Amino acid sequence: MILFSNQKTAFATCLGCQDAPCVFFKESEITPANFDGFPVNRCIDVCATGAIRIGDNGLPLIDNEKCILCGACASRCPLGAIRLVAGRGAVIEVAPNEAFLEATNSDSHNAELMRNLFQTLPTEGVSLIESDDIVNEITSKIQKAAAVVGDQFPNLLTRNLLISSGNNAAISRKGNNFMRMDIVLSNTMETSGVVEVEFGQDANMEAPRDVLDSIAVLVSRYNWTIKNTASFIVTDLLPNRRSEYWHIIQDINNVFGIKIGTITIFCLMLLNWNRKKLILLKNHNFYADRAIDSYRAEVLEPLMQRKLKLNNLPNPLVDIAK
Ligand code: SF4
Ligand code: SF4
């Protein structure tokens, strides 16, 4: 439901934006502001599974068979015209209503003006409330999508969710062996970010070392400073408490003063569903190491500013299991 400045309310309807931010990223969003020469993968698709495209009528169209409910497209629609429906997928509201007729019936200039009006309003609201059923649904959808899209899927999905949560994010072109880092982030010229994407418990062990490797290259060859670099690891499941992973993360902080954050792909989706921004800070607020009691209570719920509506059984998507 949209509240207009004249206090009228209406359900949002797709205006058929010329640039379709729900379907395509801008070139600037997929290019790092701080790294000339990074071999950027130029894919501008917002949807990592290829579920959303422009239809013959010029409006975006979603294939719910492919949709994994990640929320990237929905959080980029300035009108809130994309709903996330559990058990189905993302749905675009296209039914006209009185409040939107003027914009949809007129030229693209007026549609742009209407959109800008919305962009002056605070973007709040939750597009999907988490539940245990949704966790199960998404886990199986992600597995299927990974099999179809192939080995670029974790990096593409992570990049797209990071952009949707307010950063520029670049992944390197497939086949490039010179740049080891998976993703380079920037949202201001002051703080930059480097991200390792590691799915699978065994791969997690290598991730902290890969982050250090990337930081060394960026600082020594590309004029980054450790002081202004945020680094983190995106994974599918949090390693369990006995894993050496949390020990290594703590050692790196103790010896080098570098806090490497850890976040799961599901937590990135949660941020998108709740329209939270991921803010790049060196001492960022998703740092966790072996001293932490509960990732969910100490890292995730403070980020969400509320308790999660999930049962309290250990779930490696949102917490560190024993
Ligand atoms: S769904 Fe939203 S962002 Fe996409 S074209 Fe329609 S109004 Fe624009
Ligand atoms: S919610 Fe995610 S997977 Fe579904 S259409 Fe939108 S971007 Fe694609």
Side-chain angles (χ1 to χ4, degrees):
M1 188 71 83
I2 301 293
L3 174 64
F4 287 84
S5 50
N6 63 5
Q7 299 306 304
K8 283 189 179 172
T9 56
F11 287 108
T13 295
C14 175
L15 295 181
C17 314
Q18 294 289 297
D19 55 349
C22 57
V23 184
F24 304 118
F25 291 123
K26 292 192 205 104
E27 188 72 18
S28 58
E29 292 177 293
I30 60 155
T31 309
N34 48 1
F35 195 162
D36 287 345
F38 184 75
V40 176
N41 177 327
R42 297 270 164 215
C43 173
I44 57 167
D45 295 339
V46 167
C47 183
T49 68
I52 186 165
R53 65 180 175 83
I54 300 294
D56 295 341
N57 62 359
L59 297 177
L61 201 63
I62 293 175
D63 177 351
N64 282 145
E65 284 297 311
K66 292 183 181 170
C67 175
I68 59 169
L69 284 167
C70 76
C73 60
S75 66
R76 287 174 61 79
C77 174
L79 310 188
I82 302 182
R83 287 185 296 127
L84 301 178
V85 183
R88 187 170 162 198
V91 177
I92 300 182
E93 295 292 349
V94 289
N97 63 56
E98 200 183 331
F100 281 78
L101 281 178
E102 188 186 344
T104 50
N105 284 348
S106 55
D107 60 25
S108 60
H109 175 67
N110 275 352
E112 197 63 28
L113 287 178
M114 178 68 105
R115 207 176 88 184
N116 288 341
L117 174 69
F118 284 103
Q119 285 174 338
T120 64
L121 298 173
T123 48
E124 290 174 352
V126 177
S127 54
L128 188 65
I129 297 281
E130 71 283 351
S131 71
D132 296 304
D133 285 346
I134 289 172
V135 166
N136 293 336
E137 180 183 343
I138 283 171
T139 304
S140 106
K141 280 173 182 265
I142 286 180
Q143 282 165 358
K144 277 189 206 148
V148 173
V149 179
D151 57 6
Q152 280 274 290
F153 177 68
N155 286 13
L156 278 170
L157 180 60
T158 303
R159 180 201 69 167
N160 296 0
L161 288 167
L162 289 168
I163 297 175
S164 308
S165 48
N167 297 280
N168 294 348
I171 51 177
S172 60
R173 283 193 300 270
K174 197 174 175 184
N176 169 72
N177 296 322
F178 302 104
M179 291 295 164
R180 293 276 311 276
M181 60 283 305
D182 288 332
I183 297 182
V184 173
L185 283 176
S186 53
N187 60 3
T188 67
M189 293 305 285
E190 286 81 41
T191 305
S192 305
V194 58
V195 181
E196 277 301 314
V197 184
E198 298 289 356
F199 282 24
Q201 292 284 355
D202 293 340
N204 274 327
M205 296 302 300
E206 295 304 318
R209 293 159 181 143
D210 289 344
V211 168
L212 279 187
D213 186 274
S214 298
I215 291 175
V217 169
L218 291 163
V219 169
S220 118
R221 300 187 215 165
Y222 294 93
N223 296 325
W224 286 34
T225 59
I226 293 179
K227 185 164 70 74
N228 292 330
T229 301
S231 51
F232 58 101
I233 292 161
V234 176
T235 179
D236 52 350
L237 303 172
L238 293 170
N240 66 40
R241 189 161 296 285
R242 291 186 306 279
S243 168
E244 180 69 2
Y245 174 87
W246 301 110
H247 220 135
I248 297 169
I249 293 280
Q250 193 173 45
D251 292 341
I252 290 172
N253 186 28
N254 287 344
V255 175
F256 302 110
I258 295 174
K259 285 185 186 292
I260 302 175
T262 307
I263 192 162
T264 64
I265 202 82
F266 181 76
C267 295
L268 284 178
M269 289 188 186
L270 273 174
L271 288 177
N272 269 266
W273 299 345
N274 289 270
R275 296 182 191 273
K276 301 279 183 207
K277 297 292 175 211
L278 188 149
I279 299 170
L280 279 188
L281 296 170
K282 179 173 179 273
N283 292 314
H284 43 69
N285 41 15
F286 40 91
Y287 174 78
D289 62 25
R290 63 195 289 267
I292 202 162
D293 280 333
S294 164
Y295 183 95
R296 173 172 166 171
E298 294 172 52
V299 177
L300 189 52
E301 289 179 340
L303 267 178
M304 305 300 298
Q305 298 170 303
R306 65 178 174 80
K307 295 270 180 213
L308 293 179
K309 296 179 191 248
L310 298 173
N311 72 32
N312 284 318
L313 293 172
N315 181 337
L317 297 179
V318 292
D319 213 345
I320 302 169
K322 288 199 172 68

